[in-house]
Each structure stands twice: as C-alpha cells, then as structure tokens.
Amino acid sequence: MKIAAAQMTCAPADVRTNAARAAALAVTAREQGAALVVFPEFTLTGYELDALAADPGLWTGADDPRLDPLRAAGIATAVNVALPGDGPRPVIATLVHDADGAHVTTYRKQHLFRHEQDLFEPGTGDGCFELLGVRFSLGVCYDNHFPELPGRGAAAGCRVHLASSLYGTGDGIRERATVHPGIAERYGLYVVLANHVGPAGPWTGCGRSAVWAPGGALLAEADDRTPSVVTAAIGPAV
C-alpha cells in the first residue's frame, strides 16, 4: 500500500478554490499509486483564524457539497477543516473519506495552539480508522507535540500516524524535522506529515511534507517551495 502527503499553498478563506487545488493533488497522488492522501491543517481555508471566527460559512461538514471534488478524486483523503461544533464555536477536525467518497471518520484536534484556544473547542477523543487492512491514527499539528496521542494509536494497533499540520519557517523547520521522526522511532509507526508551503495566514509554510518509516528513517520528502505530493510504500506488518 502506498500513501501520500500533500503540501499546498492555500487561497485565503476560499473553500471552493482550495477544494479544487486539493482535488488536483489527490488525483496526482492516485496516479502515483497512492491509496490515501493526507492534507495540511485547514486545507480548505488556509490558516485564517480571524476569517474562520467571523464567517461560519467557511466551516465545513463531512457532507458539504464543496468537498465533492475531493470525494470524486478516486482516492481516500484526510482533509482538515473548521467543523461546526456542538456549541457556538467550531472545532478543528480532520475528515476522512474513502476512495468512493464515503465518510469514514472525523477526528477533532485535542491540543489547541495558543490563540486557537480563544476561537475553537478542543476535541476529547482519539481518531483511528482502518483502510485496506491498515490501521491509521490521526493528529493535527500541535497534537503531535504530545507523544501520548500517537502512543495510544500504536497501542490500539495503528501502523501509520497521519499529521495534518502547519510548520512555518523559523522554529517550525526544526520542529518539523524532530517531532515526526521522533514519533516514528518511539512508537514504531509510519508517520505522514502534510504541511503548508508558502503564505499561510501569519506564517510562511516551510513545506517538506514527508513520510518516515518505523524507526525514524526518512522515506520521502517534498521540497520547501512547490505545492506537490510525495508517496511512500507501507511495508507488510512484522
């Protein structure tokens, strides 16, 4: 089984444009033989917190028709969005759909970063799902700095950890390159990081979306400037 990490430059607060960009990357991943592609944090809007707080029209549910281009791409997708919550605030959530476009699971980000805490509600449960006989765990950006989260996924039989994230230039370069291979080494998981590249709200995404093998070896890595996908094969369970 091959999986893909996509990196994007998002159009600020433009759900339809970003859905089309993501769908094009999903098709590329499918053509490269991937069965699943994971996208960065806030795939459909970019990291535009003020806009997301002001306009509930930017929030996206699993059945939102604006997701149709992605659901029609013929590949399983993990897309991070602002999702309507149970109260007045949205949650930061990853929506997983299978290759036929059916909703598989929703994971809500548990560890909110700085000012996200003023605008979003945190999730309370872990996200695991199975696709083609492989179990996956989910984390969103700052989640991955709390090793107990992927650790619980590993304990639940997951083999691959999917990280939808935004790491910028500056400190983000070091964090991107240490947190994720650390998870792979500590828990024996494949780790798939999808990052922004270029302008992303108040930051500049540093790109280098990547896949690490159990033990921490780098299997595939994108550059630091180009919207693109990278793929890697998941080996048989030992």
Side-chain angles (χ1 to χ4, degrees), residues 1-4 32-37 75-77 96 99 129-136 159-160 162 190 192 211 219 231-237:
M1 179 181 182
K2 292 179 72 174
I3 51 177
Q32 293 180 10
L36 177 145
V37 57
I75 182 174
T77 56
V96 179
F129 67 97
E130 186 170 317
L131 179 72
L132 301 176
V134 177
R135 283 186 61 78
F136 296 83
R159 293 181 57 215
V160 184
L162 305 179
Y190 289 91
V192 187
V211 184
L219 296 178
T231 64
I234 302 303

Side-chain angles (χ1 to χ4, degrees), residues 159 180-192 210-220 232-235:
R159 293 181 57 215
H180 304 86
I183 293 170
E185 181 178 10
R186 182 171 183 175
Y187 296 112
L189 294 168
Y190 289 91
V191 177
V192 187
V211 184
W212 289 269
L218 182 66
L219 296 178
I234 302 303

Side-chain angles (χ1 to χ4, degrees), residues 8-19 21 42-48 58 196 199-201:
M8 289 178 58
T9 304
C10 294
D14 188 336
V15 173
R16 293 187 186 280
T17 293
N18 291 319
R21 291 180 182 181
F42 289 127
T43 308
L44 298 185
T45 58
Y47 197 88
E48 304 293 335
L58 297 174
H196 288 257

Side-chain angles (χ1 to χ4, degrees), residues 39-45 78-82 92-95 107 109 139-140 164-165:
F39 289 92
E41 187 173 26
F42 289 127
T43 308
L44 298 185
T45 58
V79 176
N80 189 261
V81 302
I92 302 173
T94 297
L95 306 174
Y107 168 71
K109 184 177 183 179
V140 181
S164 297
S165 301

Side-chain angles (χ1 to χ4, degrees), residues 133-187:
V134 177
R135 283 186 61 78
F136 296 83
S137 59
L138 292 159
V140 181
C141 204
Y142 195 44
D143 274 336
N144 302 301
H145 293 236
F146 295 81
E148 61 272 18
L149 188 149
R152 290 192 297 269
C158 294
R159 293 181 57 215
V160 184
H161 183 68
L162 305 179
S164 297
S165 301
L166 167 54
Y167 288 97
T169 54
D171 288 346
I173 294 173
R174 175 188 56 80
E175 293 174 350
R176 183 213 70 89
T178 56
V179 169
H180 304 86
I183 293 170
E185 181 178 10
R186 182 171 183 175
Y187 296 112

